Amino acid sequence: MDELTGEFEAERGHLLAVARRMLGSRSEAEDAVQETWLRFSGALSDPEQRARVRDLRGWLITTCSRICLDVLRSARVRREAYPGQWLPEPVVTTVPAADGFAPDPAERAVRADQLGTALLVVLERLTPEQRVAFVLHDVFAVPFADVADVLAVTPEAARQLASRARRAVHAPDAPRHSADLAEQRRVLDAFAAAVESGELEQLVRVLAPDVVSIGDAGGHFPAGRRPVVGVESVGRLLLGLYGQAQRRGGLRGRPVLVDGTLGWQSEFFHRDGRPVRMVTSFAVHEGRITGVFNQLNPAKVGELPPLGPEAVWPPR
């Protein structure tokens, strides 16, 4: 059992990356990986059975993917009943030091494994089967024969599922994100200055013409039921949000990495006096913001540590 545990722990990080992309939820991904461990330890505890598995990573990914597929199919029903717009629970980490936008190779590899909220949002457009096919083949280079085994379809059908998913991910209305951290920081500095000015004309220069804004309040706070699209509509929405928060007092924030991309963790007061904790992530492409994603559902951000005394507005 110790040997099995060691083998599995060596693959846990990779499995978690696969499951997170499939499910869009870190907690659900962790549950899927734990279920994979239970099946692994139960099915391969006999040394003879373990010896028959020559590609352990392949066996684990196949098992984990089937678990994720079941979760995705049930999640579609839950999402349809979700109050308002849905965003994934954010994975929030600290921003590197001022000179840390050119990290060492090991850190760069870790960051490359991050997702970005924009991709997770686009993946929500896919069917469970399309999402599994796209993640396995396009992200993790799993051969279509193995993808077909997970989905219980032919390799050609698996290829078609991945192709349809690819078209949806790269659709013209999908938020685009291509900026490195240094460019993200420049754009967000300009965005913060524009928001602070309160001038719509200044803000729209930072936003892409087809920018989209999505807010997930989980029914706890008022929020639109549909994304807001278009530079002027999104600009007015954001100026109103931050302007009202500033007028109520207590607005503070700090830069953070949200799924590997630069964003903000902020706190302010709702108009009824309740404290609001919000995580905002951005998609940045060609020097402009293409997506603004506000996560303020307490069930998804409530476990984050509160802001310290160093938090200010605008975040820096």
Side-chain angles (χ1 to χ4, degrees):
M1 183 58 70
D2 288 344
E3 185 176 347
L4 281 180
T5 302
E7 288 181 320
F8 185 83
E9 289 303 319
E11 298 293 339
R12 180 182 289 274
H14 189 75
L15 292 175
L16 188 59
V18 172
R20 178 88 204 291
R21 282 168 172 79
M22 288 187 182
L23 301 177
S25 163
R26 187 176 184 87
S27 59
E28 288 183 345
E30 289 172 343
D31 288 345
V33 171
Q34 186 60 25
E35 177 63 24
T36 304
W37 157 249
L38 294 175
R39 296 189 187 185
F40 169 66
S41 60
L44 302 183
S45 57
D46 185 323
E48 291 186 7
Q49 293 175 316
R50 171 63 189 90
R52 296 192 187 102
V53 177
R54 296 183 179 180
D55 180 7
L56 178 61
R57 172 170 286 191
W59 190 97
L60 291 171
I61 288 178
T62 297
T63 302
C64 186
S65 298
R66 287 171 176 161
I67 293 168
C68 289
L69 183 60
D70 290 340
V71 175
L72 283 170
R73 286 167 173 164
S74 62
R76 286 184 72 84
V77 177
R78 297 198 307 273
R79 300 271 166 82
E80 288 173 359
Y82 192 79
Q85 301 173 77
W86 181 93
L87 287 172
E89 57 188 271
V91 175
V92 177
T93 53
T94 58
V95 175
D99 60 349
F101 284 87
D104 62 41
E107 186 177 356
R108 209 162 32 237
V110 170
R111 294 217 194 128
D113 194 44
Q114 299 298 318
L115 299 174
T117 307
L119 176 58
L120 287 173
V121 168
V122 174
L123 290 178
E124 284 295 307
R125 302 178 178 186
L126 308 181
T127 68
E129 293 76 13
Q130 289 172 348
R131 187 163 182 165
V132 169
F134 176 81
V135 168
L136 286 180
H137 182 266
D138 285 41
V139 180
F140 292 98
V142 174
F144 278 122
D146 295 336
V147 176
D149 187 42
V150 171
L151 297 173
V153 298
T154 65
E156 180 56 33
R159 187 184 301 275
Q160 291 176 353
L161 286 167
S163 177
R164 293 185 190 120
R166 203 175 300 122
R167 288 196 295 270
V169 168
H170 298 293
D173 63 338
R176 302 165 308 288
H177 179 77
S178 60
D180 60 20
L181 284 176
E183 182 182 356
Q184 291 172 48
R185 182 165 63 172
R186 289 193 297 270
V187 172
L188 262 62
D189 284 346
F191 175 81
V195 168
E196 188 71 5
S197 76
E199 297 294 331
L200 180 62
E201 183 177 347
Q202 183 175 341
L203 180 56
V204 298
R205 288 197 291 266
V206 188
L207 303 176
D210 57 350
V211 61
V212 59
S213 176
I214 299 176
D216 179 351
H220 295 274
F221 302 101
R225 297 192 63 83
R226 296 179 181 277
V228 178
V229 181
V231 63
E232 289 212 2
S233 297
V234 171
R236 295 183 190 281
L237 171 71
L238 295 172
L239 288 179
L241 172 65
Y242 289 111
Q244 292 174 22
Q246 284 179 294
R247 287 191 290 274
R248 295 187 197 109
L251 176 60
R252 301 183 302 137
R254 68 178 180 117
V256 292
L257 293 181
V258 186
D259 294 309
T261 62
L262 197 59
W264 295 338
Q265 178 183 343
S266 57
E267 294 177 357
F268 53 93
F269 292 101
H270 188 256
R271 60 174 175 263
D272 61 11
R274 286 181 294 164
V276 180
R277 183 176 295 174
M278 183 169 73
V279 172
T280 303
S281 56
F282 300 86
V284 178
H285 178 69
E286 295 183 348
R288 291 191 173 188
I289 293 172
T290 63
V292 182
F293 310 101
N294 290 318
Q295 179 57 266
L296 56 159
N297 183 348
K300 298 182 181 180
V301 298
E303 297 300 318
L304 293 175
L307 295 179
E310 76 286 352
V312 295
W313 190 263
R316 59 179 181 269

